[in-house]
């Protein structure tokens, strides 16, 4: 682990209800996301990530624009994606958008690249799902060349080639922090190691410690590819309130509705309260409860997996903005200090 264990937040800009149960507009949700990020900066958190989606229940389709708005109202927190769906985007434009964000934020930009678990962007941008793997592999290969911030010569089948081409603007530091987000595929873990990029584990079910074999695979692959040790992070959903019971009761109906809505699209069965309680237990992937409960769970995952950062996916379906703000404040003021204290001990 790094000297300072980092704690971050992720959101997909879920379209929420207000206190009276009225559905908010996507425009208001976007403004609320900016306010949530400003609070995260004020309470001293390390990272704020925004996911990319192209559907009615998530408001953010252009994360970099929202992140730029946040950059203008914050001073310390690092800003990035969670994740950028590189398969359906252009690597050159992705680099340009994040190097621009890096400039306007004073060097605070990060990008987490992934294939994404939603596929709406493929038909939207005229791409074939049958090319899912090929698109990501080729575009990641080009993106890693762009990260060298030198003239690029590259050829592939999914976009036009480049010949001794420079891409602007470069970052002032010469290094754009870039992670690979993975959901549990060994192939994806080895790919991250092959390119020598940090690994962000999306752990949304089961036990976080069950991912230990993937962490071991990542370290072995880095060594075999002759790459130095790189940070490992975890992205998991959760919610914080005054007590465990309060947090679970407030989170449950919104979490269940979100899971069931997505589950109907993917052929999953309905989520049960029993399953929710299991995932909210000390061994599960939901980091929900009082500040002490959540802090101890994060510290256990950090020690068990050798993490450098933990990102709490705090947006939970239609759970109201006001509740999310309280959760963010508790995360920054109570959870983060206790996690660092536990890890130091």
């Amino acid at each position: 682990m790094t000297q300072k264990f980092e704690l971050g937040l992720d959101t997909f800009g879920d379209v929420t209800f207000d206190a009276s149960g009225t559905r908010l507009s996507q425009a208001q949700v976007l403004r609320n996301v900016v306010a949530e990020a400003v609070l995260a900066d004020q309470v001293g958190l390390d990272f704020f990530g925004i996911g990319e989606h192209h559907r009615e229940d998530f408001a953010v389709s252009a994360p970099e624009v929202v992140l730029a708005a946040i950059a203008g109202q914050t001073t310390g927190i690092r800003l990035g994606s969670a994740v950028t769906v590189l398969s359906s985007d252009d690597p050159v434009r992705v680099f340009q958008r994040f190097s621009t964000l890096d400039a306007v934020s004073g060097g605070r930009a990060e990008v987490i690249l992934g294939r994404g678990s939603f596929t709406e962007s493929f038909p939207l941008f005229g791409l074939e799902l049958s090319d899912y793997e090929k698109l990501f592999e080729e575009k990641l290969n080009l993106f890693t060349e762009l990260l060298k911030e030198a003239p690029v010569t590259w050829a592939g089948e999914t976009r036009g080639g480049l010949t001794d081409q420079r891409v602007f603007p470069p970052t002032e530091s010469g290094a754009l922090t870039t992670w690979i987000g993975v959901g549990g595929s060994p192939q994806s873990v080895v790919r991250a190691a092959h390119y020598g990029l940090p690994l962000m584990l999306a752990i949304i079910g089961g036990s976080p410690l069950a991912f230990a074999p993937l962490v071991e695979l990542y370290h072995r692959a880095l060594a075999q590819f002759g790459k130095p040790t790189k940070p490992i992070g975890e992205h998991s959903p959760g919610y914080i309130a005054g007590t465990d019971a309060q947090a679970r009761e407030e989170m449950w109906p919104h979490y269940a509705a979100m899971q069931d809505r997505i589950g109907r699209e993917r052929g999953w069965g309905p989520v049960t309260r029993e399953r929710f309680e299991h995932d909210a237990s000390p061994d599960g992937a939901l980091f929900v409860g009082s500040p002490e409960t959540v802090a101890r769970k994060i510290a256990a995952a950090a020690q068990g997996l050798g993490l450098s950062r933990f990102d709490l996916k705090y947006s939970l379906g239609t759970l109201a903005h006001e509740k999310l703000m309280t959760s963010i404040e508790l995360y920054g003021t109570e959870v983060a200090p206790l996690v660092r204290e536990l890890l130091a001990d």
Side-chain angles (χ1 to χ4, degrees), residues 59-136:
V60 184
S61 61
E64 304 90 345
V65 178
V66 184
L67 291 165
I70 293 166
Q73 299 184 46
T74 57
T75 57
I77 196 165
R78 295 186 63 79
L79 304 170
S81 59
V83 299
T84 296
V85 184
L86 188 63
S87 309
S88 56
D89 212 326
D90 183 79
V92 173
R93 293 297 286 146
V94 172
F95 179 86
Q96 289 176 322
R97 295 197 299 265
F98 277 93
S99 64
T100 300
L101 174 65
D102 198 61
V104 300
S105 66
R108 292 186 280 137
E110 297 187 6
V111 58
I112 302 176
L113 303 174
R115 293 179 295 178
S117 62
F118 292 82
T119 59
E120 290 82 6
S121 60
F122 284 80
L124 181 64
F125 299 122
L127 299 168
E128 297 293 335
L129 271 175
S130 58
D131 294 329
Y132 185 82
E133 290 287 348
K134 182 179 182 180
L135 284 165
F136 186 72

Side-chain angles (χ1 to χ4, degrees), residues 191-256:
R191 181 188 289 119
H194 170 73
Y195 288 111
L197 295 174
L199 183 71
M200 182 60 68
L201 298 167
I203 303 177
I204 60 174
S207 169
L209 297 186
F211 281 69
L214 290 180
V215 171
E216 294 170 5
L217 172 63
Y218 178 62
H219 287 307
R220 290 200 309 272
L222 282 172
Q224 290 175 5
F225 289 126
K227 305 291 186 181
T229 300
K230 294 292 180 177
I232 299 172
E234 177 182 344
H235 154 110
S236 289
Y239 177 68
I240 305 152
T243 67
D244 290 353
Q246 179 188 356
R248 293 185 186 195
E249 287 306 313
E250 290 179 355
M251 176 177 172
W252 161 247
H254 302 276
Y255 176 79

Side-chain angles (χ1 to χ4, degrees), residues 248-249 252 255-256 270-281 284 286:
R248 293 185 186 195
E249 287 306 313
W252 161 247
Y255 176 79
V271 64
T272 65
R273 183 62 188 255
E274 180 182 14
R275 182 65 196 182
F276 172 78
E277 293 292 341
H278 176 270
D279 285 346
S281 72
L286 296 182

Side-chain angles (χ1 to χ4, degrees), residues 12 37-38 41 45 49 71 77 88 101 118 129 139 160 167 225-226 247 252 285 288 290-291:
F12 296 163
V38 170
D41 184 54
L45 292 169
I77 196 165
S88 56
L101 174 65
F118 292 82
L129 271 175
K139 292 183 177 186
V167 175
F225 289 126
W252 161 247
V288 52
S290 69

Side-chain angles (χ1 to χ4, degrees), residues 8-339:
L9 289 168
D10 289 336
T11 180
F12 296 163
D14 307 48
V15 174
T16 59
F17 293 166
D18 64 16
S20 68
T22 301
R23 181 187 177 95
L24 299 181
S25 67
Q26 290 200 342
Q28 183 58 55
V29 170
L30 290 170
R31 292 189 287 269
N32 288 347
V33 168
V34 174
E36 289 155 12
V38 170
L39 176 60
D41 184 54
Q42 291 170 347
V43 297
L45 292 169
D46 298 298
F47 175 78
F48 193 87
I50 302 180
E52 170 198 346
H53 293 85
H54 304 270
R55 43 187 289 144
E56 186 178 10
D57 45 352
F58 299 110
V60 184
S61 61
E64 304 90 345
V65 178
V66 184
L67 291 165
I70 293 166
Q73 299 184 46
T74 57
T75 57
I77 196 165
R78 295 186 63 79
L79 304 170
S81 59
V83 299
T84 296
V85 184
L86 188 63
S87 309
S88 56
D89 212 326
D90 183 79
V92 173
R93 293 297 286 146
V94 172
F95 179 86
Q96 289 176 322
R97 295 197 299 265
F98 277 93
S99 64
T100 300
L101 174 65
D102 198 61
V104 300
S105 66
R108 292 186 280 137
E110 297 187 6
V111 58
I112 302 176
L113 303 174
R115 293 179 295 178
S117 62
F118 292 82
T119 59
E120 290 82 6
S121 60
F122 284 80
L124 181 64
F125 299 122
L127 299 168
E128 297 293 335
L129 271 175
S130 58
D131 294 329
Y132 185 82
E133 290 287 348
K134 182 179 182 180
L135 284 165
F136 186 72
E137 185 60 61
E138 276 209 355
K139 292 183 177 186
L140 179 60
N141 179 263
L142 173 54
F143 195 86
T144 57
E145 290 300 311
L146 297 169
L147 288 175
K148 298 174 184 177
E149 302 198 24
V152 175
T153 297
W154 181 91
E157 299 179 14
T158 57
R159 75 176 307 282
L162 300 174
T163 302
D164 202 28
Q165 180 71 56
R166 294 196 65 194
V167 175
F168 303 100
T171 62
E172 285 185 309
S173 68
L176 175 65
T177 299
T178 302
W179 303 68
I180 295 293
V182 305
S185 162
Q187 178 186 2
S188 296
V189 170
V190 172
R191 181 188 289 119
H194 170 73
Y195 288 111
L197 295 174
L199 183 71
M200 182 60 68
L201 298 167
I203 303 177
I204 60 174
S207 169
L209 297 186
F211 281 69
L214 290 180
V215 171
E216 294 170 5
L217 172 63
Y218 178 62
H219 287 307
R220 290 200 309 272
L222 282 172
Q224 290 175 5
F225 289 126
K227 305 291 186 181
T229 300
K230 294 292 180 177
I232 299 172
E234 177 182 344
H235 154 110
S236 289
Y239 177 68
I240 305 152
T243 67
D244 290 353
Q246 179 188 356
R248 293 185 186 195
E249 287 306 313
E250 290 179 355
M251 176 177 172
W252 161 247
H254 302 276
Y255 176 79
M258 175 182 64
Q259 291 293 102
D260 287 346
R261 182 179 66 249
I262 297 171
R264 285 190 294 271
E265 300 172 2
R266 302 185 181 189
W268 303 341
V271 64
T272 65
R273 183 62 188 255
E274 180 182 14
R275 182 65 196 182
F276 172 78
E277 293 292 341
H278 176 270
D279 285 346
S281 72
D283 295 328
L286 296 182
F287 289 71
V288 52
S290 69
E292 181 175 357
T293 294
V294 173
R296 292 191 179 280
K297 193 166 181 176
I298 293 172
Q303 291 171 327
L305 298 176
L307 302 178
S308 297
R309 189 167 86 198
F310 178 89
D311 290 341
L312 183 76
K313 195 271 184 179
Y314 73 92
S315 57
L316 299 160
T318 53
L319 187 61
H321 166 65
E322 292 75 15
K323 298 287 188 184
L324 300 180
M325 292 288 273
T326 299
S327 182
I328 291 169
E329 184 168 8
L330 290 171
Y331 184 56
T333 60
E334 298 190 29
V335 174
L338 182 53
V339 169

